[in-house]
Structure formats: structure tokens, C-alpha cells
Amino acid sequence: MVYGTVVPVLLRDPSQLGTLTTAQAGALGSYALIGVMVGALIAGAVGDHIGRRRVMVTGIVWFSVAMGASAFATDLTVFGSLRFLTGIGVGALVATVGALIAEFAPPHRRNVYNAIVYSGVPAGGVLAALLALLASDGGDWRVLFLFGAAPLVVLLPVTLLRLPESPKWLQARGHTVRARQVSERTGVPLPGTAPSEAAAEPGLEAAAKTKIGFAALATRRYALATLLLGLTSCSALLLTYALNTWLPEIMGQSGYGASFSLVFLLTLNGGAIVGGLIASRVADRFGPQRVIATTFVLAAVSLALLTQGLPLGLLLILVAVAGVGTLGTQVLIYGFVSHYYDTVARAAGVAWCAGFGRLGGIGGPVVGGALIGAGLPPADAFYVFAGVAVLGTLVTCFVPRQAAERSPAPAAPAPGPLPGGGASVLAHE
């Protein structure tokens, strides 16, 4: 999103990185998204084997260093390579954090906790736009990339000191003693049965229990759902990146001046934050699958109505609703996926959702650019995007209902209080 704010500067001033064509600018925009896909799939391949904490720490260091190094790039080749590397770190985090939250949050608030975490994505879009306003001088674009290295100082020390490994993952991998220690320290309760006792549970198939990570996704229990959840994520991310890239241009061709570009983008991402949090509370009560289908419908309706030449106030409301139905929907999808899979396949499931879905993110700007480049009326682009939202609705409805996604049975009380004597809200499942 930072890159999107500096593209005009790079196109206008060859002294920054060299002569840049619009086609090259589009390719540079996709490099980071390709990196996100690669990073998510790598994290999914190793996250269920080595744990969530190691992947999180590695991802923070990786993307921060690559983002900061991008500020010192002097040519397009180096800059593009660093954008790809940055995406790998971001992808690892996006794929892992959902699995981590699913194993720490209480069942009755899992979707809300997940929405709070993933609302950082649209919040980052808002922050990027605001920082771009402060960097008025063309040469200040490098400061925006240096800002991306701040987590090395702000976030990494806190992560190393305070982020524990998931006790449920430790238990699932046979580290029973460490799992109990982390459970007692954090107040996060463990499942009522140890891994050796899990074989007696009638709801688990032998194939899913003996296979870990991506291998578990290919079992009969998960295969169809994995395909459909990937398509659902692909639809939502296509809409998200298509609108974040082309909404200002489409509205400009509809008669609105350049000064409205930032307003439309802020409204789109602001709607995703607020609407995503509200929708997540509804999802905790009625289930995420129904809510995701509903928000896709809202996206389709709002995008279709954007073609009707309505007053500016109504257009902004519709853009906010479109934010809920696109990026807000993706937030809900991450929550749905992270709770759909068991612990041994959870990181791989979220990684598949983030990685395969990123194909839609990569294709979104391309689809929008092709529609606009073909000289079609702006309304046609909105109709195409609305059609993608309808497709997302249908795919969501066909995802098989998972037994683990139904109302969970009450868990045993937490083994002990948090350090300092306080009981954790996470203990009350």
C-alpha cells in the first residue's frame, strides 16, 4: 500500500530509480504480492512442524529488513527484488497469525479477536495514505519505506519477551510438559485430552491425525473444503486489490477530481475496519460462513449501485459498504479458515487461504487495468467486480460444514492463574 502512494513520484521523476513505464510500475506492484504468496505457502509448510512463534519472529525480522533496505535502492532491479523479499516476510506473518489467534482466543470471541488482528491490514492502508500526505517532497518517498523497518525496534523486542508458543500446538506435537507450563503461565486452557488420548475421539479420522500440515489438507476430510476456501479467499482478495488500485481512477473517469482519490481510499479502508469488527461480532454469534456470504452480497449490491450516478454522500456510504464486503470479508475468511482446521493442519490451512487467495490479489490490478485500458465505461468495471462478489457468495455457501466449527463443548478450567495473581479472560472458554 505504501508503494501505491509513491508510484506517481517514481513515474514522474526518473532520477529516483530510473525511467519507469506504467507496465513496469504494474509489475513492481505485483512483485510484493507474489512474495506474499510464496511466504504464506512456505510458512504453511513449516508452521505446523516448527511452531507459530518461530515463524512469527522470522517474519517480523525478514519483512522489516527488506522494507528498510528498499529505501536505499538505486535502480529498478534492486527495488523490485527487495519488494519480492518484503512480500515473503509479510506472507509468513499473514499465514501464521490466524493460526496463533485461533489457539489463544476463547471460542465465543474468536472471530472478534481475529478481526482485531487482521484489521491491521486496512489500518495500514489508511496510515500509508496519511504518511504520503506528510511526504510532500518527491524525495521523501524513501522515508515511507524506512518507516516499514520500525517493527525491528518497536515490535520485535516485545515479541521475543512476551509472545509464547501456542500451548495447543505444543500439546499436539507431544511436548506435554512445555504445553502445561505455557498454559499455566498464560491462562490459556489446554484441550481436555492429551495427544495420546485423541485417538479415541470419534470426530477425528485417522488420516487427518497422522498427517501434518499440507499433507492433512489433502485428506478426504479437508480436500473439498480446502479448494472452496481457497476460491473464496481468491475472490475477496481480487476485489480488495482491484479496488485499492483502480477505485480512484474509475471515480476520476466518472467526473470526480483527483482531490477525491484519497477520500475514496480512506473511506474504503475505513469501512473495512469498522464493518469488519461489527461483522466479526455477528460471526461469533451466528457463525462465520453465513456472515461471509452476506458481506459478499453487500459488496455485489454496493458495487452495482456505484454505477448509478448518486450524490457524493451516498457514494461514500456505498464505498464504505464495499470495503466491508471486500477487505472486511477477507478478514472474516481468515477467521473462518483458522477455526475450520485442527491444530495439526491449522497453519497450513491459513497459509493455503492466504497463498492461493493471493492469486486473486495479483490478478485484481491486472483485471482492473485491462477493463480500463480497453476503453470500457467505468460502470462496466464495477459490474465485473460485482460479478466476482456473487461468485464468492456461491463458493462460500458450498463449503462443507465442519464439526469443529459448530458450537464447541465447554473446555476444562485453566490450570492456574496468570503471573501476578490475575485470572486471564482467555481462560473462560
Side-chain angles (χ1 to χ4, degrees):
M1 291 181 177
V2 166
Y3 173 72
T5 66
V6 304
V7 165
V9 175
L10 301 181
L11 287 171
R12 184 176 64 249
D13 187 357
S15 67
Q16 300 297 329
L17 294 174
T19 302
L20 182 67
T21 66
T22 54
Q24 290 174 320
L28 287 174
S30 69
Y31 290 165
L33 297 176
I34 296 172
V36 171
M37 179 177 66
V38 173
L41 294 176
I42 292 175
V46 303
D48 289 316
H49 293 272
I50 68 174
R52 288 59 164 122
R53 187 178 188 274
R54 291 177 181 176
V55 178
M56 290 284 291
V57 171
T58 302
I60 291 171
V61 174
W62 188 295
F63 94 76
S64 299
V65 171
M67 185 83 169
S70 300
F72 300 98
T74 56
D75 60 67
L76 295 175
T77 301
V78 173
F79 185 70
S81 300
L82 289 171
R83 282 190 51 74
F84 172 76
L85 293 174
T86 302
I88 292 177
V90 173
L93 287 171
V94 168
T96 305
V97 69
L100 195 67
I101 290 299
E103 293 167 3
F104 274 89
H108 64 286
R109 300 200 68 188
R110 281 175 176 169
N111 287 286
V112 170
Y113 281 35
N114 190 80
I116 291 172
V117 171
Y118 280 110
S119 65
V121 178
V126 172
L127 182 59
L130 294 177
L131 287 174
L133 287 176
L134 300 178
S136 56
D137 184 2
D140 288 346
W141 68 270
R142 297 182 184 273
V143 176
L144 300 181
F145 284 91
L146 279 177
F147 188 83
L152 279 177
V153 179
V154 178
L155 182 61
L156 181 62
V158 180
T159 304
L160 293 173
L161 290 173
R162 302 297 299 170
L163 179 67
E165 182 55 87
S166 163
K168 294 181 181 179
W169 177 85
L170 289 170
Q171 186 187 52
R173 298 295 287 150
H175 306 296
T176 307
V177 175
R178 287 182 59 198
R180 290 176 179 172
Q181 291 173 343
V182 175
S183 178
E184 292 173 358
R185 179 164 59 89
T186 62
V188 177
L190 291 170
T193 57
S196 60
E197 300 168 335
E201 295 184 24
L204 297 179
E205 295 182 6
K209 289 186 294 181
T210 57
K211 295 184 178 180
I212 298 173
F214 284 120
L217 303 187
T219 61
R220 185 169 58 181
R221 183 185 184 196
Y222 288 134
L224 176 60
T226 297
L227 174 61
L228 294 176
L229 288 169
L231 292 173
T232 302
S233 177
C234 190
S235 300
L237 286 173
L238 188 152
L239 293 172
T240 295
Y241 285 98
L243 288 176
N244 268 287
T245 303
W246 295 111
L247 180 62
E249 177 65 21
I250 294 174
M251 300 308 290
Q253 291 187 12
S254 299
Y256 293 92
S259 60
F260 286 101
S261 297
L262 182 60
V263 174
F264 284 120
L265 284 180
L266 289 175
T267 303
L268 181 75
N269 288 284
I273 297 171
V274 177
L277 291 173
I278 295 173
S280 67
R281 292 184 64 88
V282 180
D284 277 327
R285 183 172 181 179
F286 298 102
Q289 191 167 2
R290 297 177 183 177
V291 179
I292 291 169
T294 301
T295 53
F296 265 131
V297 171
L298 289 176
V301 173
S302 61
L303 288 169
L305 290 177
L306 284 175
T307 66
Q308 302 305 308
L310 300 173
L312 178 61
L314 289 177
L315 285 178
L316 291 175
I317 293 175
L318 290 173
V319 169
V321 173
V324 179
T326 54
L327 187 48
T329 298
Q330 183 62 27
V331 169
L332 294 172
I333 292 171
Y334 282 137
F336 183 26
V337 171
S338 64
H339 306 138
Y340 194 92
Y341 296 95
D342 292 327
T343 298
V344 294
R346 183 167 287 127
V350 178
W352 165 260
C353 175
F356 183 81
R358 201 61 51 174
L359 293 175
I362 296 169
V366 176
V367 171
L371 293 171
I372 295 173
L376 299 175
D380 288 359
F382 284 132
Y383 285 133
V384 171
F385 297 154
V388 174
V390 172
L391 175 63
T393 304
L394 296 175
V395 174
T396 302
C397 292
F398 281 104
V399 175
R401 191 177 181 192
Q402 179 67 10
E405 183 252 337
R406 298 169 190 163
S407 298
L418 286 169
S424 171
V425 67
L426 298 181
H428 301 293
E429 293 203 4

